[in-house]
PDB file of all heavy atoms in Angstrom:
ATOM      1  N   ALA A 213      -0.104 118.100-104.951  1.00 66.00           N
ATOM      2  CA  ALA A 213       0.650 119.252-105.440  1.00 66.00           C
ATOM      3  C   ALA A 213      -0.207 120.201-106.267  1.00 66.00           C
ATOM      4  O   ALA A 213       0.227 121.297-106.596  1.00 66.00           O
ATOM      5  CB  ALA A 213       1.838 118.769-106.272  1.00 66.00           C
ATOM      6  N   LEU A 214      -1.415 119.802-106.612  1.00 74.00           N
ATOM      7  CA  LEU A 214      -2.280 120.600-107.461  1.00 74.00           C
ATOM      8  C   LEU A 214      -3.394 121.243-106.641  1.00 74.00           C
ATOM      9  O   LEU A 214      -3.784 120.723-105.599  1.00 74.00           O
ATOM     10  CB  LEU A 214      -2.902 119.745-108.556  1.00 74.00           C
ATOM     11  CG  LEU A 214      -1.916 119.149-109.569  1.00 74.00           C
ATOM     12  CD1 LEU A 214      -2.630 118.162-110.476  1.00 74.00           C
ATOM     13  CD2 LEU A 214      -1.279 120.245-110.388  1.00 74.00           C
ATOM     14  N   PRO A 215      -3.924 122.373-107.116  1.00 78.00           N
ATOM     15  CA  PRO A 215      -5.061 122.976-106.415  1.00 78.00           C
ATOM     16  C   PRO A 215      -6.239 122.007-106.340  1.00 78.00           C
ATOM     17  O   PRO A 215      -6.433 121.178-107.218  1.00 78.00           O
ATOM     18  CB  PRO A 215      -5.393 124.195-107.292  1.00 78.00           C
ATOM     19  CG  PRO A 215      -4.169 124.460-108.081  1.00 78.00           C
ATOM     20  CD  PRO A 215      -3.508 123.140-108.295  1.00 78.00           C
ATOM     21  N   ALA A 216      -7.021 122.124-105.292  1.00 82.00           N
ATOM     22  CA  ALA A 216      -8.179 121.254-105.124  1.00 82.00           C
ATOM     23  C   ALA A 216      -9.106 121.397-106.320  1.00 82.00           C
ATOM     24  O   ALA A 216      -9.352 122.490-106.819  1.00 82.00           O
ATOM     25  CB  ALA A 216      -8.914 121.613-103.834  1.00 82.00           C
ATOM     26  N   GLY A 217      -9.613 120.256-106.797  1.00 83.00           N
ATOM     27  CA  GLY A 217     -10.574 120.282-107.892  1.00 83.00           C
ATOM     28  C   GLY A 217      -9.961 120.250-109.263  1.00 83.00           C
ATOM     29  O   GLY A 217     -10.681 120.268-110.264  1.00 83.00           O
ATOM     30  N   THR A 218      -8.651 120.178-109.373  1.00 89.00           N
ATOM     31  CA  THR A 218      -8.008 120.135-110.693  1.00 89.00           C
ATOM     32  C   THR A 218      -7.296 118.794-110.870  1.00 89.00           C
ATOM     33  O   THR A 218      -7.308 117.949-109.995  1.00 89.00           O
ATOM     34  CB  THR A 218      -7.038 121.318-110.870  1.00 89.00           C
ATOM     35  OG1 THR A 218      -6.630 121.390-112.239  1.00 89.00           O
ATOM     36  CG2 THR A 218      -5.809 121.158-109.999  1.00 89.00           C
ATOM     37  N   THR A 219      -6.711 118.583-112.039  1.00 94.00           N
ATOM     38  CA  THR A 219      -6.015 117.344-112.345  1.00 94.00           C
ATOM     39  C   THR A 219      -4.752 117.676-113.150  1.00 94.00           C
ATOM     40  O   THR A 219      -4.648 118.762-113.728  1.00 94.00           O
ATOM     41  CB  THR A 219      -6.883 116.404-113.195  1.00 94.00           C
ATOM     42  OG1 THR A 219      -7.121 117.010-114.478  1.00 94.00           O
ATOM     43  CG2 THR A 219      -8.211 116.090-112.506  1.00 94.00           C
ATOM     44  N   PRO A 220      -3.814 116.752-113.226  1.00 94.00           N
ATOM     45  CA  PRO A 220      -2.638 116.989-114.087  1.00 94.00           C
ATOM     46  C   PRO A 220      -3.018 117.259-115.540  1.00 94.00           C
ATOM     47  O   PRO A 220      -2.406 118.104-116.194  1.00 94.00           O
ATOM     48  CB  PRO A 220      -1.841 115.695-113.946  1.00 94.00           C
ATOM     49  CG  PRO A 220      -2.219 115.145-112.617  1.00 94.00           C
ATOM     50  CD  PRO A 220      -3.664 115.499-112.436  1.00 94.00           C
ATOM     51  N   ALA A 221      -4.028 116.560-116.046  1.00 95.00           N
ATOM     52  CA  ALA A 221      -4.450 116.777-117.419  1.00 95.00           C
ATOM     53  C   ALA A 221      -4.971 118.198-117.622  1.00 95.00           C
ATOM     54  O   ALA A 221      -4.671 118.847-118.627  1.00 95.00           O
ATOM     55  CB  ALA A 221      -5.520 115.753-117.817  1.00 95.00           C
ATOM     56  N   TYR A 222      -5.767 118.679-116.676  1.00 95.00           N
ATOM     57  CA  TYR A 222      -6.293 120.038-116.772  1.00 95.00           C
ATOM     58  C   TYR A 222      -5.159 121.058-116.739  1.00 95.00           C
ATOM     59  O   TYR A 222      -5.143 122.033-117.505  1.00 95.00           O
ATOM     60  CB  TYR A 222      -7.269 120.322-115.642  1.00 95.00           C
ATOM     61  CG  TYR A 222      -7.793 121.745-115.655  1.00 95.00           C
ATOM     62  CD1 TYR A 222      -8.912 122.090-116.398  1.00 95.00           C
ATOM     63  CD2 TYR A 222      -7.154 122.745-114.918  1.00 95.00           C
ATOM     64  CE1 TYR A 222      -9.384 123.396-116.430  1.00 95.00           C
ATOM     65  CE2 TYR A 222      -7.615 124.062-114.962  1.00 95.00           C
ATOM     66  CZ  TYR A 222      -8.723 124.371-115.704  1.00 95.00           C
ATOM     67  OH  TYR A 222      -9.167 125.664-115.736  1.00 95.00           O
ATOM     68  N   GLU A 223      -4.194 120.846-115.852  1.00 95.00           N
ATOM     69  CA  GLU A 223      -3.073 121.780-115.729  1.00 95.00           C
ATOM     70  C   GLU A 223      -2.265 121.829-117.032  1.00 95.00           C
ATOM     71  O   GLU A 223      -1.849 122.908-117.467  1.00 95.00           O
ATOM     72  CB  GLU A 223      -2.185 121.376-114.549  1.00 95.00           C
ATOM     73  CG  GLU A 223      -2.846 121.541-113.181  1.00 95.00           C
ATOM     74  CD  GLU A 223      -3.202 122.970-112.883  1.00 95.00           C
ATOM     75  OE1 GLU A 223      -2.401 123.867-113.160  1.00 95.00           O
ATOM     76  OE2 GLU A 223      -4.309 123.198-112.361  1.00 95.00           O
ATOM     77  N   THR A 224      -2.050 120.664-117.644  1.00 96.00           N
ATOM     78  CA  THR A 224      -1.305 120.635-118.911  1.00 96.00           C
ATOM     79  C   THR A 224      -2.061 121.373-120.004  1.00 96.00           C
ATOM     80  O   THR A 224      -1.495 122.198-120.728  1.00 96.00           O
ATOM     81  CB  THR A 224      -1.053 119.176-119.336  1.00 96.00           C
ATOM     82  OG1 THR A 224      -0.251 118.529-118.356  1.00 96.00           O
ATOM     83  CG2 THR A 224      -0.340 119.118-120.686  1.00 96.00           C
ATOM     84  N   LEU A 225      -3.354 121.088-120.112  1.00 97.00           N
ATOM     85  CA  LEU A 225      -4.172 121.762-121.127  1.00 97.00           C
ATOM     86  C   LEU A 225      -4.215 123.261-120.886  1.00 97.00           C
ATOM     87  O   LEU A 225      -4.069 124.061-121.836  1.00 97.00           O
ATOM     88  CB  LEU A 225      -5.584 121.184-121.121  1.00 97.00           C
ATOM     89  CG  LEU A 225      -6.574 121.837-122.092  1.00 97.00           C
ATOM     90  CD1 LEU A 225      -6.090 121.723-123.531  1.00 97.00           C
ATOM     91  CD2 LEU A 225      -7.962 121.219-121.950  1.00 97.00           C
ATOM     92  N   SER A 226      -4.387 123.665-119.646  1.00 96.00           N
ATOM     93  CA  SER A 226      -4.445 125.090-119.315  1.00 96.00           C
ATOM     94  C   SER A 226      -3.131 125.788-119.667  1.00 96.00           C
ATOM     95  O   SER A 226      -3.122 126.904-120.208  1.00 96.00           O
ATOM     96  CB  SER A 226      -4.773 125.284-117.846  1.00 96.00           C
ATOM     97  OG  SER A 226      -4.877 126.648-117.521  1.00 96.00           O
ATOM     98  N   THR A 227      -2.019 125.124-119.397  1.00 96.00           N
ATOM     99  CA  THR A 227      -0.711 125.710-119.726  1.00 96.00           C
ATOM    100  C   THR A 227      -0.567 125.901-121.226  1.00 96.00           C
ATOM    101  O   THR A 227      -0.118 126.955-121.698  1.00 96.00           O
ATOM    102  CB  THR A 227       0.423 124.814-119.204  1.00 96.00           C
ATOM    103  OG1 THR A 227       0.363 124.778-117.770  1.00 96.00           O
ATOM    104  CG2 THR A 227       1.781 125.337-119.620  1.00 96.00           C
ATOM    105  N   LEU A 228      -0.979 124.906-122.014  1.00 97.00           N
ATOM    106  CA  LEU A 228      -0.898 125.023-123.470  1.00 97.00           C
ATOM    107  C   LEU A 228      -1.774 126.161-123.958  1.00 97.00           C
ATOM    108  O   LEU A 228      -1.371 126.951-124.819  1.00 97.00           O
ATOM    109  CB  LEU A 228      -1.327 123.704-124.127  1.00 97.00           C
ATOM    110  CG  LEU A 228      -0.352 122.544-123.980  1.00 97.00           C
ATOM    111  CD1 LEU A 228      -0.991 121.255-124.502  1.00 97.00           C
ATOM    112  CD2 LEU A 228       0.946 122.815-124.717  1.00 97.00           C
ATOM    113  N   LEU A 229      -2.988 126.278-123.429  1.00 97.00           N
ATOM    114  CA  LEU A 229      -3.903 127.322-123.870  1.00 97.00           C
ATOM    115  C   LEU A 229      -3.399 128.704-123.502  1.00 97.00           C
ATOM    116  O   LEU A 229      -3.574 129.663-124.267  1.00 97.00           O
ATOM    117  CB  LEU A 229      -5.282 127.085-123.262  1.00 97.00           C
ATOM    118  CG  LEU A 229      -6.080 125.915-123.837  1.00 97.00           C
ATOM    119  CD1 LEU A 229      -7.258 125.567-122.927  1.00 97.00           C
ATOM    120  CD2 LEU A 229      -6.588 126.246-125.242  1.00 97.00           C
ATOM    121  N   HIS A 230      -2.755 128.824-122.343  1.00 97.00           N
ATOM    122  CA  HIS A 230      -2.301 130.131-121.884  1.00 97.00           C
ATOM    123  C   HIS A 230      -0.974 130.554-122.532  1.00 97.00           C
ATOM    124  O   HIS A 230      -0.656 131.758-122.529  1.00 97.00           O
ATOM    125  CB  HIS A 230      -2.150 130.141-120.357  1.00 97.00           C
ATOM    126  CG  HIS A 230      -3.460 130.316-119.631  1.00 97.00           C
ATOM    127  ND1 HIS A 230      -4.318 129.269-119.385  1.00 97.00           N
ATOM    128  CD2 HIS A 230      -4.048 131.432-119.116  1.00 97.00           C
ATOM    129  CE1 HIS A 230      -5.389 129.728-118.743  1.00 97.00           C
ATOM    130  NE2 HIS A 230      -5.250 131.023-118.579  1.00 97.00           N
ATOM    131  N   THR A 231      -0.206 129.603-123.044  1.00 97.00           N
ATOM    132  CA  THR A 231       1.120 129.963-123.595  1.00 97.00           C
ATOM    133  C   THR A 231       1.160 129.936-125.122  1.00 97.00           C
ATOM    134  O   THR A 231       2.094 130.471-125.709  1.00 97.00           O
ATOM    135  CB  THR A 231       2.215 129.019-123.054  1.00 97.00           C
ATOM    136  OG1 THR A 231       1.892 127.658-123.378  1.00 97.00           O
ATOM    137  CG2 THR A 231       2.336 129.161-121.538  1.00 97.00           C
ATOM    138  N   ARG A 232       0.168 129.347-125.772  1.00 98.00           N
ATOM    139  CA  ARG A 232       0.141 129.330-127.228  1.00 98.00           C
ATOM    140  C   ARG A 232      -0.037 130.759-127.753  1.00 98.00           C
ATOM    141  O   ARG A 232      -0.700 131.584-127.154  1.00 98.00           O
ATOM    142  CB  ARG A 232      -1.005 128.461-127.743  1.00 98.00           C
ATOM    143  CG  ARG A 232      -0.954 128.207-129.245  1.00 98.00           C
ATOM    144  CD  ARG A 232      -2.316 127.931-129.830  1.00 98.00           C
ATOM    145  NE  ARG A 232      -3.207 129.088-129.708  1.00 98.00           N
ATOM    146  CZ  ARG A 232      -3.191 130.144-130.499  1.00 98.00           C
ATOM    147  NH1 ARG A 232      -2.303 130.237-131.486  1.00 98.00           N
ATOM    148  NH2 ARG A 232      -4.046 131.133-130.311  1.00 98.00           N
ATOM    149  N   TYR A 233       0.567 131.032-128.890  1.00 98.00           N
ATOM    150  CA  TYR A 233       0.426 132.343-129.519  1.00 98.00           C
ATOM    151  C   TYR A 233       0.493 132.162-131.025  1.00 98.00           C
ATOM    152  O   TYR A 233       0.910 131.113-131.531  1.00 98.00           O
ATOM    153  CB  TYR A 233       1.550 133.294-129.058  1.00 98.00           C
ATOM    154  CG  TYR A 233       2.929 132.846-129.474  1.00 98.00           C
ATOM    155  CD1 TYR A 233       3.532 133.343-130.642  1.00 98.00           C
ATOM    156  CD2 TYR A 233       3.638 131.909-128.728  1.00 98.00           C
ATOM    157  CE1 TYR A 233       4.799 132.906-131.022  1.00 98.00           C
ATOM    158  CE2 TYR A 233       4.890 131.458-129.123  1.00 98.00           C
ATOM    159  CZ  TYR A 233       5.457 131.973-130.258  1.00 98.00           C
ATOM    160  OH  TYR A 233       6.699 131.521-130.652  1.00 98.00           O
ATOM    161  N   SER A 234       0.059 133.172-131.766  1.00 98.00           N
ATOM    162  CA  SER A 234       0.144 133.148-133.219  1.00 98.00           C
ATOM    163  C   SER A 234       1.549 133.518-133.647  1.00 98.00           C
ATOM    164  O   SER A 234       1.988 134.659-133.454  1.00 98.00           O
ATOM    165  CB  SER A 234      -0.870 134.120-133.826  1.00 98.00           C
ATOM    166  OG  SER A 234      -2.191 133.664-133.601  1.00 98.00           O
ATOM    167  N   CYS A 235       2.263 132.550-134.210  1.00 98.00           N
ATOM    168  CA  CYS A 235       3.661 132.752-134.620  1.00 98.00           C
ATOM    169  C   CYS A 235       3.656 133.467-135.976  1.00 98.00           C
ATOM    170  O   CYS A 235       3.043 132.999-136.943  1.00 98.00           O
ATOM    171  CB  CYS A 235       4.356 131.397-134.714  1.00 98.00           C
ATOM    172  SG  CYS A 235       6.092 131.505-135.158  1.00 98.00           S
ATOM    173  N   ARG A 236       4.372 134.586-136.055  1.00 97.00           N
ATOM    174  CA  ARG A 236       4.424 135.359-137.301  1.00 97.00           C
ATOM    175  C   ARG A 236       5.852 135.569-137.794  1.00 97.00           C
ATOM    176  O   ARG A 236       6.109 136.484-138.549  1.00 97.00           O
ATOM    177  CB  ARG A 236       3.726 136.708-137.104  1.00 97.00           C
ATOM    178  CG  ARG A 236       2.217 136.586-136.891  1.00 97.00           C
ATOM    179  CD  ARG A 236       1.567 137.951-136.770  1.00 97.00           C
ATOM    180  NE  ARG A 236       0.128 137.877-136.660  1.00 97.00           N
ATOM    181  CZ  ARG A 236      -0.542 137.763-135.512  1.00 97.00           C
ATOM    182  NH1 ARG A 236       0.134 137.692-134.364  1.00 97.00           N
ATOM    183  NH2 ARG A 236      -1.855 137.715-135.503  1.00 97.00           N
TER     184      ARG A 236
END
């Protein structure tokens, strides 16, 4: 279900990095 060359762990980390923001 994942793109070639990636892993579930990478996808989770990437999602966190792309969705985190500075809460004000």
